[in-house]
Amino acid sequence: MAAILSATRHISTFYRPSVPNVWLLTWLISYQRKSTNISAVDSFITELVDNKKLKWKVLNSRHRNGHPTPSAPIAEPSPVGFAASIRTAVAEPIEKSSFSFSALYNELTNNPLVVNICQMEVSQVDHLLETALKEQNTEDVKLLLAQILEYENLPSLAVLNTLLKHLSHRTEAETIERLSSLYRKLHPEHDNTAFGRFEHYTALCEWKRGNTFKSLDAFRSLMADCTEEQLITIDHMLLEMIDETIGKKSEAVLLAVMQLCEFSLIELRHEFPICYVWEKSFLSTWYSDQEAAKMLFDRHEALRHATSKRIANLCYKLLYESKLEKVYQLIEMFLKHEMKADCKALLIRLFEYQYWRKNLRGCSEIMQNAIDLNISLPELCNRQLLELLLGRSTTEKAQRESWKKSKDLKANKYTLKF
């Protein structure tokens, strides 16, 4: 009987479930902490996406590929299976979800913008449009533009002008007309002139399409009714057109642009366009452009006076780029119209340019030219020329004197007492 009881005690002890050890409890606590950290990160990411939903692009790849299939229900394990899983959990690594930052970034940036501006304020529409235009994201601009026309929710006038200029460069004249009509519909108090109807953007669009003379005629009729502030806006467009003409298009196009600038000078007393086209033509490497610049300079006295006012800046620019031939051409053009004061200023700057390069021959030629033209240069130029002739310079003389002074100096004597 005692043997049977002892055997039964051993059997019950063998089948009793094992109590988890200390290391198993430690592992469970650390696993719970990891899951808590993961939950905190997930909640932070969710909150970040919710707060920045106007800036982030919507992930619609999930909708394109279909909704994910629901996972199969997990059966509850039996007590014996649960105990076995606890024993083997230590050996099995914890599976981590794969996270590819580059893939997430591509999905966020490459997908088209999915946003509804129907209930948005003007400032929000401005922000979306400015961001899309700054990033040169054509797809987003098209989507926003379609909603602007559909919901009649226009941005502010400044952003609208930027959008119209973008459309002009893309030669979308019909869209420009639709936006212009919508703006006049929503703002009937706005100026109903050609400039108020944004016809200058239509004219720029014609220029980009290659309809040169049609565009210039449109600008001529526009400028006749513009105020000073409106002329400044058109000046920016003319600068772009002039830069695209000088050294790139035919002489006929250049002459047509110059005629528009002459119209601005004579009829409107607005000299900026003709000054700009003259300077660009004068600095051009094409001979036809240079001849056209000389023709303009000889024809208009106002252009000569405007050039005389900024002769210092123009000369500095030419000498900085070592374009001495252009400076001599400018002197020749001034001499043709007896503008000796401007010639004197140019000769002085030329002399200083050659002097600081220790070019004795260049300084001598400039001095001789001044004598032949009966133009008196300052006494400083004569002194500097003499220094070059004698092979000395003021800097060398100053260095020699400072060396002599330092040579005559005697060291101070000190008596040390210990």
Side-chain angles (χ1 to χ4, degrees):
M1 188 66 180
I4 294 173
L5 289 174
S6 62
T8 306
R9 188 181 297 113
H10 286 295
I11 292 172
S12 62
T13 304
F14 178 77
Y15 284 104
R16 183 183 301 169
S18 59
V19 180
N21 297 329
V22 176
W23 60 268
L24 186 57
L25 292 174
T26 305
W27 178 83
L28 288 173
I29 293 172
S30 63
Y31 182 77
Q32 185 178 3
R33 288 178 180 174
K34 290 181 180 179
S35 63
T36 305
N37 293 336
I38 293 174
S39 300
V41 172
D42 290 341
S43 62
F44 171 76
I45 293 176
T46 303
E47 183 180 358
L48 181 63
V49 172
D50 291 339
N51 292 336
K52 302 294 182 180
K53 60 182 177 181
L54 286 179
K55 294 182 180 179
W56 289 84
K57 310 298 174 65
V58 178
L59 292 173
N60 58 354
S61 59
R62 183 180 304 172
H63 299 281
R64 291 197 302 265
N65 299 331
H67 295 284
T69 56
S71 57
I74 302 174
E76 295 184 359
S78 60
V80 179
F82 179 73
S85 63
I86 291 177
R87 294 191 187 95
T88 58
V90 181
E92 296 178 358
I94 301 174
E95 295 183 359
K96 296 182 179 180
S97 59
S98 60
F99 180 78
S100 177
F101 182 77
S102 59
L104 178 61
Y105 178 78
N106 291 332
E107 288 186 354
L108 289 171
T109 54
N110 294 337
N111 290 324
L113 181 66
V114 180
V115 66
N116 191 343
I117 68 169
C118 179
Q119 302 297 331
M120 286 188 180
E121 298 179 356
V122 176
S123 59
Q124 294 175 324
V125 179
D126 288 349
H127 175 72
L128 289 174
L129 261 179
E130 286 178 341
T131 304
L133 291 172
K134 185 177 181 180
E135 295 177 354
Q136 297 181 355
N137 195 330
T138 308
E139 295 297 328
D140 287 358
V141 173
K142 288 182 178 179
L143 292 172
L144 290 171
L145 185 58
Q147 293 191 39
I148 287 173
L149 295 173
E150 180 181 358
Y151 300 119
E152 297 184 352
N153 190 1
L154 283 175
S156 62
L157 184 58
V159 180
L160 181 60
N161 284 321
T162 307
L163 177 61
L164 290 172
K165 186 176 182 180
H166 170 78
L167 295 174
S168 300
H169 286 205
R170 296 182 59 85
T171 65
E172 298 183 14
E174 296 179 357
T175 310
I176 294 174
E177 182 62 29
R178 292 178 63 186
L179 286 173
S180 175
S181 302
L182 179 59
Y183 189 83
R184 292 197 304 271
K185 175 184 176 182
L186 299 178
H187 302 277
E189 73 282 358
H190 189 65
D191 189 10
N192 198 25
T193 61
F195 189 89
R197 295 191 296 270
F198 305 109
E199 291 186 7
H200 49 294
Y201 292 108
T202 306
L204 181 61
C205 182
E206 293 295 336
W207 173 270
K208 295 295 182 179
R209 285 181 172 179
N211 301 327
T212 303
F213 299 102
K214 182 178 179 180
S215 173
L216 294 176
D217 291 340
F219 273 111
R220 182 189 293 266
S221 60
L222 273 166
M223 294 170 68
D225 299 329
C226 285
T227 61
E228 287 294 331
E229 295 180 357
Q230 294 171 350
L231 283 176
I232 294 175
T233 303
I234 294 182
D235 284 344
H236 289 286
M237 295 184 178
L238 292 179
L239 296 187
E240 184 179 349
M241 295 164 60
I242 291 170
D243 290 337
E244 294 177 359
T245 302
I246 303 298
K248 298 176 183 178
K249 294 190 177 182
S250 63
E251 185 178 358
V253 176
L254 175 61
L255 293 177
V257 173
M258 286 184 172
Q259 288 177 1
L260 178 62
C261 297
E262 287 178 314
F263 167 79
S264 175
L265 176 66
I266 297 172
E267 301 295 334
L268 308 178
R269 300 293 187 268
H270 187 61
E271 62 185 21
F272 178 77
I274 197 170
C275 292
Y276 188 80
V277 73
W278 173 83
E279 182 176 343
K280 288 294 181 179
S281 303
F282 177 72
L283 299 177
S284 175
T285 56
W286 286 19
Y287 178 76
S288 59
D289 295 347
Q290 297 176 11
E291 290 298 317
K294 292 180 181 179
M295 178 191 66
L296 280 181
F297 194 84
D298 296 338
R299 185 181 298 174
H300 300 286
E301 184 179 0
L303 175 61
R304 295 194 292 270
H305 287 304
T307 307
S308 176
K309 291 178 181 178
R310 56 184 308 272
I311 189 64
N313 294 332
L314 183 59
C315 183
Y316 174 80
K317 179 181 178 181
L318 294 174
L319 293 178
Y320 182 79
E321 298 175 356
S322 299
K323 295 181 179 179
L324 300 181
E325 184 180 355
K326 290 293 182 182
V327 179
Y328 284 109
Q329 291 178 7
L330 200 56
I331 293 175
E332 182 181 354
M333 294 168 65
F334 280 129
L335 284 175
K336 186 177 180 180
H337 298 278
E338 298 296 330
M339 302 174 68
K340 289 191 175 182
D342 300 299
C343 293
K344 180 179 179 179
L346 290 174
L347 287 174
I348 292 174
R349 283 168 175 78
L350 266 178
F351 186 89
E352 293 174 351
Y353 177 85
Q354 299 292 0
Y355 171 75
W356 289 110
R357 282 158 181 77
K358 302 296 185 289
N359 189 351
L360 176 60
R361 182 177 179 180
C363 291
S364 302
E365 290 178 354
I366 294 170
M367 189 65 69
Q368 186 62 41
N369 291 333
I371 295 173
D372 296 339
L373 297 173
N374 196 18
I375 296 176
S376 59
L377 297 182
E379 184 64 25
L380 179 61
C381 296
N382 295 327
R383 195 182 311 147
Q384 290 174 342
L385 179 62
L386 183 61
E387 290 175 357
L388 291 178
L389 287 171
L390 298 177
R392 297 197 302 267
S393 65
T394 55
T395 55
E396 293 177 356
K397 185 177 180 181
Q399 290 177 357
R400 193 178 298 109
E401 291 178 355
S402 63
W403 180 75
K404 287 182 179 179
K405 290 181 180 179
S406 62
K407 186 178 180 181
D408 296 336
L409 292 177
K410 295 182 180 180
N412 296 329
K413 295 182 179 180
Y414 298 94
T415 303
L416 301 178
K417 296 181 180 181
F418 296 97

